[in-house]
Amino acid sequence: MKFNHYPLLVAALVLLSACGEGAKGPATPDAAVTAAPPTAAETTAMVDAVATAGDEASVLYTRACAGCHGVTAEGVGEFPSLAKLSVKDVESRLQAYRAGETVGPKSALMAPLAKPLSDEQIAALALYLGS
Ligand code: HEC
């Protein structure tokens, strides 16, 4: 007899878990989840975000970097993963891009993002991203 309630229970659980998902919602902007390169306007918005995001690395990363490198820095399409870089790698590469140096074949895409970064922001991003 007990088992008669089982399907109801399953339905309730499914509904509940669906609610959970909905409540969390997608916390990321669309640009961050598509593999397409950002438009010029999106890139400009990310460059501008550097100035307003402050030194908090997670905020800065989400607003200025995730659009190209992915929400978890896993890399998107032609944009490299940052997941395996050391703290020192991230720091030295950001300093190189900021100085206008060529690091890889697509440094021109990265340079405008690195230009406005402060020493504090680079250090915070290196600690946040580097392993
Ligand atoms: C417009 C897209 C774009 C945005 C936004 C962007 N990057 Fe990049 N990033 C790139 C590309 C493309 C490369 C590879 C450049 C090259 O070939 O040298 C790169 C390379 C890097 C590298 C070196 C990776 C390696 O393996 O050597 C680091 C570190 C990095 N980005 C960090 C960041 C951080 C931190 C931000 C946010 C402040 C950011 N990027 C925002 C496109 C972007």
Side-chain angles (χ1 to χ4, degrees):
M1 268 302 154
K2 253 200 282 183
F3 289 108
N4 284 343
H5 296 297
Y6 187 63
L8 253 184
L9 187 66
V10 170
L13 282 177
V14 166
L15 272 177
L16 269 178
S17 62
C19 280
E21 295 268 303
K24 262 180 246 152
T28 52
D30 286 349
V33 287
T34 56
T39 63
E42 282 164 350
T43 306
T44 305
M46 288 191 275
V47 173
D48 290 346
V50 173
T52 53
D55 296 346
E56 181 56 56
S58 60
V59 176
L60 184 56
Y61 182 83
T62 304
R63 293 178 58 192
C65 321
C68 285
H69 291 287
V71 184
T72 56
E74 74 282 15
V76 177
E78 60 177 324
F79 304 114
S81 165
L82 308 176
K84 297 219 168 77
L85 297 176
S86 69
V87 175
K88 278 251 164 303
D89 284 340
V90 176
E91 187 164 32
S92 66
R93 274 164 223 180
L94 288 177
Q95 282 164 350
Y97 291 123
R98 186 174 63 177
E101 289 166 23
T102 301
V103 176
K106 297 202 183 96
S107 294
L109 280 171
M110 192 47 220
L113 271 301
K115 278 246 155 61
L117 291 174
S118 67
D119 288 342
E120 289 74 20
Q121 287 175 318
I122 288 182
L125 285 167
L127 280 178
Y128 178 66
L129 295 167
S131 44

